Amino acid sequence: MQIYAINGSPRKTWNTATILQNVLDGFAESREDALTEMIDLYSLDYKGCVSCFECKRLGGPSYGRCAVRDGLGALLPRILQADALVIGSPIYFGDVSGMLRAFLERLLFPCLVYDKAHSSLAPRKIPTAFVYTMNLPRAAMEERGYPQRLAAMESYVGRLFGSAPRLLHVCDTLQFKDYSRYKMEIFSAEEKARQRELEFPADCRRARELGAALAADAAGEA
Ligand SMILES: Cc1cc2nc3c(=O)[nH]c(=O)nc-3n(C[C@H](O)[C@H](O)[C@H](O)COP(=O)(O)O)c2cc1C
C-alpha cells in the first residue's frame, strides 16, 4: 500500500519534513505492506500550470493528463496511482509555499472537468491529508483566518480525490536553532525553545496518528 508525502518546504529536515516523516511512520506502523516515499518538491525542476489546456483538449493525446514534460512529468501519474497522499507545507504569507502551489496546479488541473457534475478524472479515489507548519501560535492562526484561507485548495483536493482531506495545523514552530543570531526581536527564544521541547513532540504524535488514520481510510476501515 503506497503513500507519498509531498514536502512543500525547502528544508528537508526541519518542521514540515519532520511532521511528514511522522505521518509516513504512522502509516507504515499500521500496515505490513506499506510503501512510503517522501517527495521534496524543492529538489525538482518544474513550473506551475502553463495554461496550455492540452489536458482538456477533446481527443487530444494528453486529455486528462498534464502535457508538460519537466521534473514533474513522470511523477504526477505515479502520485495519482497512490493509495494515500499527505501534502505538507510551511505557511508563507498566510498560504502554502509557492512550490507547493505550483505543484498542486499541475496535479489537480488535469483531473478537473468543467461539467455541471464537477466530475473528476483522478484515476482513483484516495484518502488525503494536509499538514501545515507555521510560526504563529494557534490563537493567532485562528484570528488571522488561516484555516479559512487554506480551505479553498483543500476543497479542490477533497472534490477531486473523493473525500475531504484530514488536516493537521502545527503552530508556533522553531524557525532556527539560535535566535540570538537573527533579527527576530518579537519572538522569545525561551518561549520558542519551550514550545519545541513540549509541544512539537505532541504534534509529531498527532502526525503519527494521522498516518495510522490514513492507512485505515485506505484500507476502507474508516
Ligand atoms: C518566506 C517566509 C514566510 C513566512 N510566512 C509566515 C506566515 O505568514 N505565517 C506564519 O505563521 N509563519 C510564516 N513563516 C514561518 C514558517 O511558516 C515556519 O517557520 C515553518 O514552520 C517553516 O517550516 P520548515 O521548518 O519546514 O521550513 C514564514 C517563513 C518564511 C521563510
Side-chain angles (χ1 to χ4, degrees):
M1 186 179 273
Q2 176 77 57
I3 181 172
Y4 293 106
I6 309 296
N7 181 18
S9 169
R11 303 200 287 183
K12 297 188 177 71
T13 58
W14 272 75
N15 297 289
T16 311
T18 305
I19 292 293
L20 284 171
Q21 189 58 53
N22 275 278
V23 176
L24 294 183
D25 292 347
F27 189 92
E29 281 159 13
S30 316
R31 296 282 312 185
E32 268 182 21
D33 62 347
L35 294 168
T36 66
E37 185 175 338
M38 180 87 75
I39 295 169
D40 288 305
L41 294 182
Y42 282 76
S43 298
L44 303 174
D45 187 13
Y46 67 94
K47 291 190 169 67
C49 176
V50 295
S51 206
C52 67
F53 287 98
E54 283 302 305
C55 63
K56 311 266 176 268
R57 189 152 65 85
L58 291 169
S62 295
Y63 183 76
R65 289 182 292 120
C66 184
V68 178
R69 295 286 157 259
D70 63 5
L72 287 184
L75 189 60
L76 295 175
R78 204 150 64 81
I79 290 172
L80 290 170
Q81 290 302 330
D83 297 290
L85 184 62
V86 56
I87 301 164
S89 185
I91 294 297
Y92 287 174
F93 298 100
D95 210 328
V96 297
S97 67
M99 287 293 271
L100 180 61
R101 176 89 193 180
F103 167 83
L104 288 172
E105 289 171 7
R106 296 279 302 282
L107 180 74
L108 301 179
F109 194 59
C111 297
L112 188 134
V113 185
Y114 285 123
D115 63 5
K116 289 204 171 104
H118 294 308
S119 312
S120 167
L121 293 177
R124 307 189 58 195
K125 302 293 177 217
I126 56 167
T128 60
F130 274 94
V131 303
Y132 307 106
T133 76
M134 69 200 82
N135 194 29
L136 281 184
R138 189 162 297 274
M141 170 192 80
E142 302 283 359
E143 197 186 311
R144 299 211 189 167
Y146 283 11
Q148 289 84 343
R149 278 204 237 173
L150 298 164
M153 194 56 96
E154 291 160 8
S155 86
Y156 279 108
V157 166
R159 201 214 288 176
L160 294 171
F161 290 113
S163 55
R166 292 179 179 272
L167 304 177
L168 178 62
H169 300 88
V170 175
C171 296
D172 210 357
T173 56
L174 190 77
Q175 294 215 67
F176 26 73
K177 287 204 176 99
D178 184 356
Y179 274 69
S180 70
R181 296 177 62 199
Y182 300 90
K183 176 83 176 160
M184 288 267 170
E185 62 214 31
I186 59 170
F187 303 115
S188 149
E190 292 72 34
E191 191 50 36
K192 282 286 184 188
R194 197 199 64 81
Q195 184 74 9
R196 181 72 175 188
E197 200 184 320
L198 298 179
E199 291 302 324
F200 196 67
D203 287 321
C204 290
R205 275 198 300 281
R206 286 184 201 103
R208 273 183 131 78
E209 287 162 14
L210 173 60
L214 283 173
D217 292 344
E221 293 162 9

